[in-house]
Amino acid sequence: MTTEMAHRAARRRRMAGAIGAVVATAALLISGVAAPATAADEELIVNGGFESGLQNWFVNNGNATDGGTLSIVGDAFSGASAIKVTGRTTTGSGPMQDLSGKVQAGQTYSIKARVKYDNPSSPATKQFFATMHYGGSTYTNLASTTPARGQWGYINATFTIPATQSVSTARLFIETPWTSNPSSDPNTHLMDFVVDDVSLVGTPPPPPPSKTIEVVGKLPGEHNPLIGHKFGADGFGYAEDGRVYMFMTNDTQGYAPDPVTGISPQINYGNINQITLISSEDLVNWTDHGEIQVAGSQGVAPFTSNSWAPGFAKRVVNGVEKYFLYYANGGGSSNVITGASPLGPWTSERTTTLINGSTQGAEDVQWKFDPAPIVTDDGHAYLVFGGGPASTSMPAAERFNNPKNIRVVELADDMVNTKGSAMVVDTPVSFEAGHIFERQGKYYLSYSSHFGGTDFGGNQTALPGYPGGGQIGYMMSDSPTNFPKEKYAGVMFPNQGQFFGAGTGGNNHQSVFEFEGKYYFTYHAPTLNKRITGNTTQGYRSPHIEELKFNADGTIQQVVGTYAGVDQVRDFDPYRTFEAETFGWSKGIATQKVDGGSAQFGATAPNLVVKDIDNGDWTALSSVAFGDAGAASVTLKVKPLQSGGSINVRTGSETGPVVGTIPVTGATGQWTELTADLAGLTGTHDVFFTYSGGAGDLFELDTWAFTQAEARSLDVSADVASRCVAGKSVLTVKVTNADEVPVTATVSTPYGSKSSLAVPVGKSVSNAFSTRLVSVPAGAAEVTVTATVDGEALSKVVQAQYPAHSCG
């Protein structure tokens, strides 16, 4: 999933995080009246008066066996509500709010809060602290108050965060002084208490550098990388109901380009706790569904810290169709969350990680990560996971060639537990990224190979036929759990640096999925990163797809990495409401999740908008099928951010012919729907939306919808009259041309036909047919008219009914 260096750093971080939390005894505390706020100061606490219930507040250290319970009470210092903590089992379990990203080192802040306790068995006075937890074992007491029992204490002070203090994690909470054995005297240490009017005023950090990618990272006509407006790695493809979903590690989360140079620092995997999701109906135009907040304090599974290398599966559990998103919680464990659809919503059925140090059969696996599920055709479910250094008890040659660092374990029927012991997968020269798929009764296990080094017995030469460093090898078996080294079948994908050049090497992570009868191979490469900064990349990876082909004996034809990518499997359908964040290609834009559901995917699906739209930016769709009639108009949902913006609809390229223009009008800052007529938009084209206006952000976009033009039809009618001539019935067919062009008519009756009747504009032409019969039954004459309109040949068939007629 990551480079070996990054993994070693992650191990060091995990070891440091395992040290027990100890509250710092030295407090940065300045008593007295808070310093006056400056114009730049802001209130950084949300819902500090608790008038919005428990919003943004949670229990510090809260879990199934530790912590306490928060509730809203009417015993408030001011207003109608305050917060009460009950049932504490430690002196570190008070009400807490996450301020990560809101405070900065070296700055001074004003802290205020009211606190009270009423327990008659507690001491007459009790000290309370406002404390900041900076992650790990770093706690700093900011200010304190010592109220009398039953009286409101007042925390009111200023403090300065040391310039050297890391503030990537910053959580403020109210608590009594730390003691290691509070249960020895719960009335003194664990009494219930009430908090109100919490305030933290100061200068927040400056806005983070823009993550908007201004270059064209996915070139028009190319299909790799899949997206050009953000990054994504370790892609796991899943196909269902005519759509492919791609779950990815959110490499964009740490992307912070310098405003001047445009170059970001190296990627920091330790900060990634979201999964990015995109989907497509055609493998070229991809819809951005945003990020799933998997881990962290606000995550679906807050007991995990990271989310790397996702895997995805569906299974019916107790009669209910469920979806399961697996992910690596750093290098030390893996976990799973559950969804109602591939787009969520997401919940956690677990309170601890799925794969960890207690997983039977995985004790010797260093990195218990990269979980990849498979539900086999016969209904069984398995999870592949693992990687990292080989056991030092092995001989050096075995550590290099057969490190035995990947496992497969059976999943329970509920998909959120395992059963039995994990089994060894003897993958040659393996490093990480185990993945299994099934095809025609065979199971294919692929993985990423290692680069050697001391963790693998020193630098050696692999056995003949074994993969080199950073390649994707694979094995074939008749069983999803039986992969001895003899099942090794070869390299399915060389290192991506072989195809994309300098700056794109490193290890990889792959998946395989089937879509509409073909198999596809996913991988990542820092191709977008390279287009931004050149041959020296910073580790930000992008998703790619290639078709996977097989030989007659079932072995895999080696995949070649390309910018061309795969063929578009179907033309894009424009005659519907679709999300504006659907791109074949783009330049200079970004996306953002907003409140509410998706117009295209439903009320429970996330909704995104296109933002950061500046003059000269554009978005595009590949191979849009407008049909012979073409598009009459386009409607978009847009929020103007300034006046004077406009959108041109073009074909072919960002400078191609304009087929329609949309002036962006409406109230600034308000969503509105605008419709514009289109001309000449027929057939199948790449369509570009180009944006223009003044300086700064022009507008935001939510949805598009095209309306199909009515097919051009000739305005021609026909009728039949009957009369008697010499005792015989005669039918006279009259053709009337009310169109704007002359037509040519062919008239057919049961009693003869006439072709090449010229009917001028606004005129009628008649033709008589003698039946030679005294009486004729009811019937119909068929009139076929043709004309040429704007170079297009049109035709129309008209039926003219007539009743029975007799001359006897």
Side-chain angles (χ1 to χ4, degrees), residues 229-230 276-278 286-291 581-582 591 608:
H229 69 293
K230 61 169 59 174
T276 295
L277 174 59
I278 60 175
W286 291 87
T287 301
D288 184 358
H289 299 289
E291 280 64 51
E581 59 274 10
T582 303
T591 58
L608 277 74

Side-chain angles (χ1 to χ4, degrees), residues 574-578 633-637 674-675 703-707:
Y575 298 123
R576 53 180 172 157
T577 297
F578 60 91
S633 64
V634 63
T635 298
L636 71 156
K637 186 176 181 182
L674 302 175
T675 299
T703 59
W704 295 100
F706 287 85
T707 301

